[in-house]
Amino acid sequence: MVLFSLSSTRGVTSFFLCSSSNLSILNKGVKEVSLRAFDKKNLVTKSPESLLKGKELSWEIYNHTICDCCKVGDIDRAMTLLARMEASGLHPNLISYTHLIEALGSIGRTLEAEAVFQEMICCGFKPRVNLYNVLLRVFLKKGLLGGAVKVLDVMDDLGICRNQETYEVLLDYYVNAGRLEDTWGIINEMRRKRFQLSSFVYSKIIGLYRDNGMWKKAMGIVEEIREMGMSLDKQIYNSIIDTFGKYGDLDEALEVFEKMRQEGLRPDITTWNSLIRWHCKVGDLSKALELFTQMLEQGLYPDPKIFITIISCLGEQGKWDVIKKNFETMKYRGYKKSGAIYAVLVDIYGQYGKFADAEECISALKSEGVQLSASIFCVLANAYAQQGLCEQTLKVLQLMEAEGIEPNIIMLNVLINAFGITGRHMEALSIYDQMKESGISPDVVTYSTLMKAYIRARKFDKVPEIYKQMEYAGCTPDRKAREMLQAALMVLEQRPYMY
């Protein structure tokens, strides 16, 4: 019996549930196994190299070695072992299946992860909610919302209740994708079912308010947390720092940053991202570079999103020597894959030569062993958009979809900006309309970027309309939006427009 069948539409995996009559068959004679049911201490440690010598391996050694291969990232060898194990008439245990699904999902091999899950079901295992959460995370990591929804449908049909982790996985995706209504739907459902709102959930709520321009509500959540006596962890600190940074209060952001370190919390890549990005935003490039250097000294692997910020600031000032120096520093520290992304972005900004075509750029990253993600596609699209290369920006979106990754709000905002820069305001508006139709809630950046597109096209009468839509959606206009509104109104006052 097959729980799922596979099909692919525009790179997005679709699931089809088995009939309800077959579900009853599935539950007969099924093995209910906990993820901790197998004691690793009883396994015999064996070097994977011995597997190449044609020796007959025991069931225990197969499972142990598959898990080891997954842990060190050697997923190809793990899959080879799986095939050999099955050829011998054996099947992995639940722990091995779980490691395989997680490892395949972590490198974007979603179809294979699903196939392993399906095989596990056919072998008679009845996974508990934790394994469904793993599969859910695998799909959402690649932006495959349709596949994730079908996983949830299967859980409901089999009577498997969602737990705290299930809701937090969904919440994380919806917030990052800009799906405001879906996010509040999850939070309200958690409250109805009396799940505790953890620091993770509160940090997401703060981020949600922040990204939609609701500054006062974001800080109100911080006060609510303090009144509850909940200690601030790294996630909440990061949300607070980013909120202060977004609204230009960098002194407060740095104070929170220092307090975070005084309390023994080590800043992660998200912390450094926020501080570097917002210092670049206000033009304090020296402080941004100082923070970037500190981050490297901490041994943290740089995020590609930092590169786009630093390159654009340095490029605007013509400081290509500083860009080159930072690139050399990263290569010296062994950040080869980040260096590859960095070099491509420098090429886009400064040369317009070797990687003038988006497809060549993606191929170059793949050849360097860089694992493509929504974040990397957004970074590359933004690089093309800033140069007014609208067709290449659109091509990045098409390549992203071809990889089976659902475009998120960041990518769609980048595309609106690309059309706006090239004066194609009607196409920018069509992206905005598509966002709303697909359930993605526009944020402050969306509205501001669309206002800018209308100003570039000299359609000043449309700017107040977009501003009103932003307020109606509950977004608090930022300084840039207010300035654009004032500029548009001044032009309109000087023109004999008849409404």
Side-chain angles (χ1 to χ4, degrees):
M1 200 287 286
V2 179
L3 180 63
F4 301 126
S5 65
L6 300 173
S7 68
S8 181
T9 304
R10 294 185 61 178
V12 178
T13 305
S14 300
F15 289 83
F16 298 95
L17 301 180
C18 62
S19 65
S20 56
S21 60
N22 286 338
L23 286 176
S24 61
I25 299 174
L26 175 66
N27 291 327
K28 292 180 181 178
V30 115
K31 291 177 266 187
E32 175 105 16
V33 185
S34 167
L35 293 180
R36 299 183 180 274
F38 201 90
D39 185 2
K40 290 181 66 179
K41 293 180 182 179
N42 295 328
L43 296 178
V44 179
T45 304
K46 193 79 171 178
S47 168
E49 296 304 323
S50 66
L51 303 175
L52 302 177
K53 298 179 181 180
K55 293 182 179 180
E56 191 65 33
L57 302 177
S58 68
W59 181 80
E60 289 84 0
I61 293 178
Y62 267 123
N63 281 297
H64 181 56
T65 314
I66 286 173
C67 291
D68 284 347
C69 289
C70 290
K71 288 175 183 177
V72 299
D74 195 350
I75 186 60
D76 288 333
R77 176 169 287 173
M79 293 298 285
T80 299
L81 281 169
L82 175 63
R84 182 176 166 183
M85 186 178 189
E86 290 174 338
S88 302
L90 302 174
H91 291 285
N93 60 23
L94 190 60
I95 294 177
S96 295
Y97 275 126
T98 303
H99 279 292
L100 284 165
I101 292 168
E102 286 180 319
L104 289 166
S106 69
I107 58 174
R109 290 162 64 171
T110 316
L111 290 175
E112 290 170 272
E114 179 197 0
V116 170
F117 184 85
Q118 176 181 323
E119 178 186 311
M120 180 187 65
I121 296 295
C122 292
C123 288
F125 287 103
K126 185 180 179 182
R128 293 187 176 180
V129 64
N130 291 345
L131 190 50
Y132 281 96
N133 289 340
V134 169
L135 193 62
L136 194 64
R137 200 184 299 275
V138 165
F139 280 103
L140 293 179
K141 184 177 180 180
K142 280 203 75 173
L144 303 177
L145 181 58
V149 169
K150 293 300 182 182
V151 171
L152 293 172
D153 288 343
V154 171
M155 290 175 65
D156 292 339
D157 286 351
L158 295 177
I160 298 172
C161 297
R162 304 175 189 184
N163 62 8
Q164 180 94 15
E165 184 185 6
T166 312
Y167 286 109
E168 291 185 356
V169 169
L170 291 169
L171 188 70
D172 186 44
Y173 173 78
Y174 286 140
V175 169
N176 292 335
R179 293 179 174 270
L180 188 63
E181 291 184 9
D182 290 328
T183 300
W184 281 116
I186 290 294
I187 291 171
N188 290 332
E189 187 175 339
M190 290 181 72
R191 284 174 170 159
R192 283 197 308 271
K193 295 187 176 181
R194 301 188 181 279
F195 281 102
Q196 181 181 0
L197 298 186
S198 63
S199 61
F200 171 85
V201 175
Y202 276 111
S203 69
K204 289 297 177 181
I205 296 174
I206 293 170
L208 187 67
Y209 280 137
R210 176 200 64 218
D211 294 340
N212 284 275
M214 304 174 187
W215 157 262
K216 292 182 180 178
K217 287 188 176 181
M219 298 317 296
I221 293 294
V222 175
E223 291 303 318
E224 180 182 327
I225 293 170
R226 286 173 174 163
E227 289 174 4
M228 291 170 57
M230 180 185 291
S231 59
L232 302 183
D233 63 8
K234 190 181 296 184
Q235 291 173 328
I236 294 179
Y237 269 117
N238 284 344
S239 295
I240 296 171
I241 288 170
D242 201 44
T243 302
F244 278 128
K246 184 166 186 174
Y247 291 91
D249 202 341
L250 291 175
D251 288 338
E252 286 283 352
L254 288 171
E255 281 185 24
V256 174
F257 176 65
E258 288 304 322
K259 184 178 179 182
M260 176 183 181
R261 295 206 284 190
Q262 288 170 9
E263 293 187 5
L265 294 173
R266 186 171 183 264
D268 59 14
I269 195 67
T270 303
T271 321
W272 295 106
N273 264 2
S274 297
L275 292 170
I276 293 169
R277 179 172 67 253
W278 298 121
H279 277 88
C280 283
K281 190 79 172 178
V282 299
D284 192 349
L285 192 53
S286 60
K287 183 64 177 179
L289 288 172
E290 177 188 327
L291 291 164
F292 184 71
T293 302
Q294 289 180 29
M295 179 191 68
L296 293 177
E297 289 173 351
Q298 292 291 319
L300 291 176
Y301 191 94
D303 189 321
K305 288 182 286 188
I306 295 179
F307 305 152
I308 194 75
T309 304
I310 293 178
I311 290 173
S312 59
C313 289
L314 292 172
E316 286 171 4
Q317 299 180 20
K319 295 183 178 180
W320 299 101
D321 56 331
V322 181
I323 294 176
K324 183 178 180 181
K325 180 181 177 183
N326 277 280
F327 179 39
E328 293 298 326
T329 299
M330 283 191 296
K331 285 202 298 185
Y332 174 75
R333 292 177 182 273
Y335 300 131
K336 181 182 176 183
K337 292 183 181 179
S338 285
I341 301 168
Y342 191 84
V344 168
L345 292 175
V346 171
D347 197 20
I348 293 169
Y349 268 86
Q351 308 299 327
Y352 310 106
K354 187 176 178 183
F355 297 123
D357 182 78
E359 198 161 357
E360 291 180 16
C361 180
I362 296 297
S363 296
L365 290 177
K366 284 184 174 179
S367 68
E368 290 287 337
V370 176
Q371 177 61 42
L372 299 178
S373 65
S375 175
I376 289 176
F377 278 109
C378 291
V379 166
L380 293 173
N382 192 43
Y384 285 119
Q386 293 300 323
Q387 294 301 328
L389 303 175
C390 190
E391 299 307 321
Q392 294 304 319
T393 307
L394 189 58
K395 186 178 284 188
V396 173
L397 173 64
Q398 293 166 346
L399 292 168
M400 181 179 183
E401 290 181 325
E403 290 288 329
I405 301 174
E406 182 185 74
N408 56 20
I409 191 169
I410 298 172
M411 173 61 83
L412 296 175
N413 284 343
V414 167
L415 197 55
I416 290 173
N417 189 41
F419 283 130
I421 289 172
T422 54
R424 295 157 66 174
H425 67 281
M426 291 305 296
E427 287 163 287
L429 180 62
S430 70
I431 298 297
Y432 168 71
D433 290 335
Q434 288 174 27
M435 285 174 66
K436 294 192 293 183
E437 289 172 7
S438 64
I440 297 177
S441 303
D443 60 10
V444 175
V445 176
T446 311
Y447 292 110
S448 298
T449 306
L450 193 56
M451 289 169 67
K452 194 192 321 180
Y454 277 126
I455 289 174
R456 284 193 173 112
R458 306 190 68 78
K459 302 290 183 182
F460 298 102
D461 57 312
K462 298 293 184 182
V463 174
E465 293 179 16
I466 298 300
Y467 191 89
K468 287 179 181 178
Q469 289 181 35
M470 175 168 31
E471 290 185 313
Y472 181 76
C475 294
T476 303
D478 58 11
R479 179 177 55 81
K480 185 183 294 185
R482 293 193 297 271
E483 288 175 354
M484 284 191 287
L485 175 66
Q486 291 303 316
L489 291 174
M490 287 178 63
V491 173
L492 292 174
E493 287 174 1
Q494 297 170 10
R495 290 185 175 183
Y497 278 124
M498 299 296 294
Y499 296 100

